[in-house]
Amino acid sequence: MGRALSHRRQIVEGWLRSQEYSEIALQSHHVVASVFNYVEKFKRCVALFREGFDIATTAFLVHLFPSLAREFHQISEQAQPVAHRQKELDEFFKKSQRLEPLKPRIL
């Protein structure tokens, strides 16, 4: 596991433990916007994994390297988020299910 992956893992795990974005940013030496971006990509990956997408497809759809998608998958399988973070993940998943699938265009 490379340095960047472990850094992102620490950020996501901090969020799952209920740390605030500003606290995570300070500890990880990142700006709050970067922390927010990592968490949002993690939530998108979790939603896709719940839908049954594999690591390679999830990485493609979320614009990540497969190694990071794999890391996010491991976190999602092993982590035990605090209640309100689990609720946030569940709500994100419900929102993603309500989106209308794209209809093919006939040219």
Side-chain angles (χ1 to χ4, degrees):
M1 174 174 28
R3 182 175 186 269
L5 289 181
S6 63
H7 227 85
R8 290 180 178 134
R9 180 181 198 99
Q10 291 173 349
I11 288 169
V12 169
E13 288 176 343
W15 178 81
L16 290 169
R17 285 189 311 269
S18 191
Q19 287 183 292
E20 296 296 326
Y21 290 108
S22 58
E23 183 181 355
I24 297 168
L26 188 63
Q27 290 175 351
S28 65
H29 306 288
H30 282 67
V31 295
V32 173
S34 294
V35 172
F36 179 80
N37 183 40
Y38 295 147
V39 171
E40 287 301 303
K41 287 187 177 198
F42 173 73
K43 290 193 287 189
R44 282 184 260 158
C45 285
V46 170
L48 290 168
F49 295 142
R50 286 184 183 182
E51 285 286 328
F53 288 92
D54 64 2
I55 289 170
T57 305
T58 298
F60 175 78
L61 293 171
V62 183
H63 304 286
L64 298 174
F65 287 110
S67 56
L68 182 55
R70 186 175 302 105
E71 185 81 8
F72 283 170
H73 185 263
Q74 290 172 348
I75 294 169
S76 70
E77 292 290 310
Q78 298 168 354
Q80 296 177 340
V82 296
H84 73 277
R85 295 298 193 206
Q86 183 63 54
K87 183 178 178 183
E88 192 172 333
L89 286 170
D90 294 341
E91 288 174 0
F92 187 87
F93 179 65
K94 287 178 188 173
K95 286 179 186 176
S96 68
Q97 284 185 315
R98 285 187 287 201
L99 296 175
E100 289 285 323
L102 294 175
K103 295 179 181 174
R105 292 181 11 188
I106 300 174
L107 300 177

